[in-house]
Amino acid sequence: MDSLEFIEECQEKVFAGIGLSSDDAEKLFNIPDENLKDLARCANEITRDFNGEKVDVEQLNNIKKNACSEDCTFCGQSAFFDTGIETYQLPSPGEVVLKAQKAKDEGAESYCLVAAWREPSKKDFLKVCNIISEINERVGISVECSLGFLTKEQAKKLKELKVKRYNHNLETAKSKFSEICTTHTYEDRLETLKIARDAGLELCTGGIIGLGETREQRLELTMELSRIYPEEVTINILVPVPGTPLELQTPIHNSEILRMFAVIRFLLPESVIKISGGRETNLDDSGEELLQSGANGIITSGYLTLGGNEAKKDREMIEKIGLKA
Ligand code: SAM
Ligand code: SF4
C-alpha cells in the first residue's frame, strides 16, 4: 500500500468510527513530505464532516500576570527569569466585565480567564469566583478558566459557576517534561485534568511545540492527548521570550506543525483543535493553511503577554477561506 492509500484508509476508519491504532498514528506522523498535502486534505475533510465550517474563536484575559513561582523554561511569566514583563495582581470584576463584553461584541464565543500562578490561593480563588459571577450576570459569554492546579472543591465550585471548560496544558511529552520544568511534574498536570473532568468540567489541554523536542516526542504528546480525549486541544508554537532559557531556540519548521495538527485531527475528529500562542509569529499566513489541515479554532486579539491580530482581521481571514467565524 502506498502512502496516499494508507492515509485514505485511515480516513475511512475515522469516518467509520474505528479508532486508529498507535501504529497507524505513528505511520501517519511520519508520512513522507511529498504526501503532506494529502494528509492535510484528509484531515480537513474529517474536520468539515465532524465540525462543519465553524471556527471557534476565543479571547483571553491574563488576570494575573508574571512573578509565577514555577520555572517553566518557555514562560516569560516565571519569576525565575528576568524578562522585564510587567507584573499585576487580580483586577476588579468591573474591569474584567468590560473586557469580556468587548470580546463578545467582537464575535468571540468564549472568554478564558488565565492566571500566571501555580495554583490559586483561597483568597484569590474567591476573587476569581466573584469575577466569573459578574461576567455571567452582566455579559453572558461562555467562560473558561486556566488557573493552574485545582483542588476537587475548587473544580466543583467552577462547575457550579457554569464554567464550561478548564484549560490545563500538558505542555510537552512526558519524556521531555523534566527538561522544561522542575517545580512540578507531568503527573501533577494529569492529576488536575482528572480533577476537572471528575467535577464535570469540559477539558481543554495541549501544549507547546518548538521547545526542541523531537518528532517522536510530539507524537508521544499527541498519543497522550488522544487518550484523554479532551473537548478541546490547544497547541501553542513557542514564542521565544528574551530572558528565558529558550530565548534562542531555533523555530520549528511549518511542515512539522502541520503534521501534528493533521494527525491530532485523525485521532480526535470531534474536538476543537485550536492554534494558540505563536500563530502570528510562527506562521507566515497566520494559520490559514492549518485551518484547512485539521485545526478549527483560534485565539484572537492577542495573548497573555504578547499582542496578536485584531479580531476583525482574523474574522476576515476565516471568511476568505470559506469558513465561518
Ligand atoms: N499558569 C497556568 C498553567 O501553567 O497551567 C496557567 C496558564 S499558562 C500562563 C498558559 C499557557 O501558555 C501555558 O500552559 C503554555 O502552554 C503557553 N505559553 C506560555 N509561554 C509561552 C510561549 N513563550 N510561547 C507559546 N506558548 C506559551
Ligand atoms: Fe507559571 Fe504557568 Fe508560566 Fe509555568 S506556564 S511558569 S505555571 S504561568
Side-chain angles (χ1 to χ4, degrees):
M1 191 187 306
D2 69 15
S3 294
L4 175 58
E5 282 168 351
F6 174 71
I7 296 168
E8 288 178 345
E9 187 190 271
C10 288
Q11 190 198 41
E12 273 167 33
K13 282 191 193 168
V14 176
F15 285 141
I18 304 168
L20 298 191
S21 67
S22 46
D23 283 352
D24 288 341
E26 184 178 353
K27 218 168 145 191
L28 275 184
F29 222 103
N30 289 301
I31 218 77
D33 281 343
E34 56 267 31
N35 291 105
L36 260 189
K37 282 211 164 3
D38 302 313
L39 183 70
R41 174 181 54 78
C42 289
N44 188 42
E45 287 165 5
I46 297 171
T47 312
R48 301 284 83 83
D49 196 75
F50 282 86
N51 301 278
E53 314 293 303
K54 185 84 183 82
V55 175
D56 184 297
V57 180
E58 179 183 14
Q59 288 199 27
L60 304 178
N61 186 337
N62 201 11
I63 54 172
K64 188 267 167 182
K65 202 172 197 179
N66 208 1
C68 177
S69 63
E70 306 305 285
D71 69 352
C72 311
T73 51
F74 50 80
C75 186
Q77 300 195 82
S78 163
F80 282 76
F81 318 123
D82 186 7
T83 56
I85 290 174
E86 64 170 331
T87 302
Y88 56 68
Q89 300 302 318
L90 292 172
S92 70
E95 287 171 70
V96 186
V97 161
L98 283 179
K99 290 185 179 163
Q101 184 64 54
K102 183 168 179 282
K104 189 181 174 189
D105 294 343
E106 288 177 348
E109 50 251 77
S110 52
Y111 195 65
C112 187
L113 305 176
V114 190
W117 57 40
R118 175 190 168 93
E119 64 215 340
S121 65
K122 277 193 178 139
K123 206 168 127 204
D124 284 339
F125 188 73
L126 280 176
K127 287 188 188 167
V128 175
C129 289
N130 207 0
I131 291 173
I132 298 169
S133 303
E134 292 279 317
I135 299 177
N136 285 344
E137 221 169 277
R138 291 163 60 188
V139 184
I141 187 170
S142 170
V143 177
E144 306 189 359
C145 290
S146 181
L147 306 172
F149 300 130
L150 287 184
T151 63
K152 287 181 186 165
E153 293 68 34
Q154 288 169 334
K156 233 177 101 197
K157 181 71 191 161
L158 293 180
K159 179 69 185 167
E160 280 166 24
L161 288 170
K162 301 195 171 43
V163 167
K164 185 176 175 207
R165 211 167 266 173
Y166 195 74
N167 164 262
H168 197 63
N169 293 336
L170 292 174
E171 308 300 12
T172 189
K174 186 175 179 192
S175 64
K176 175 86 180 166
F177 195 86
S178 61
E179 280 175 48
I180 62 121
C181 179
T182 67
T183 48
H184 59 264
T185 65
Y186 194 77
E187 285 69 27
D188 291 333
R189 288 197 166 259
L190 284 172
E191 177 62 16
T192 278
L193 286 170
K194 183 174 182 312
I195 287 174
R197 175 161 275 163
D198 288 350
L201 294 161
E202 289 189 6
L203 295 187
C204 167
T205 184
I208 313 189
I209 55 176
L211 302 174
E213 74 285 345
T214 60
R215 186 189 283 173
E216 287 66 34
Q217 286 171 322
R218 284 190 288 280
L219 171 64
E220 193 187 327
L221 172 62
T222 299
M223 295 314 294
E224 187 71 54
L225 294 172
S226 79
R227 279 188 284 277
I228 295 171
Y229 219 108
E231 284 76 9
E232 179 176 333
V233 170
T234 178
I235 301 293
N236 298 275
I237 310 157
L238 178 73
V239 179
V241 181
T244 63
L246 295 183
E247 66 179 334
L248 299 176
Q249 184 64 41
T250 317
I252 179 173
H253 202 278
N254 279 5
S255 64
E256 286 300 311
I257 302 174
L258 187 144
R259 219 175 251 290
M260 180 151 180
F261 274 87
V263 177
I264 296 175
R265 174 54 70 202
F266 274 79
L267 293 167
L268 296 169
E270 295 151 323
S271 302
V272 173
I273 301 178
K274 198 163 273 175
I275 325 168
S276 302
R279 176 170 63 88
E280 294 92 331
T281 347
N282 287 279
L283 305 170
D284 297 336
D285 64 358
S286 279
E288 269 184 47
E289 190 181 16
L290 288 186
L291 285 172
Q292 297 167 94
S293 311
N296 66 334
I298 59 165
I299 289 170
T300 192
S301 292
Y303 301 88
L304 304 175
T305 59
L306 266 183
N309 287 351
E310 282 178 14
K312 182 169 175 286
K313 185 171 176 194
D314 281 334
R315 215 172 32 247
E316 284 166 4
M317 168 187 75
I318 291 167
E319 284 161 6
K320 191 183 102 193
I321 55 177
L323 300 177
K324 293 192 187 112

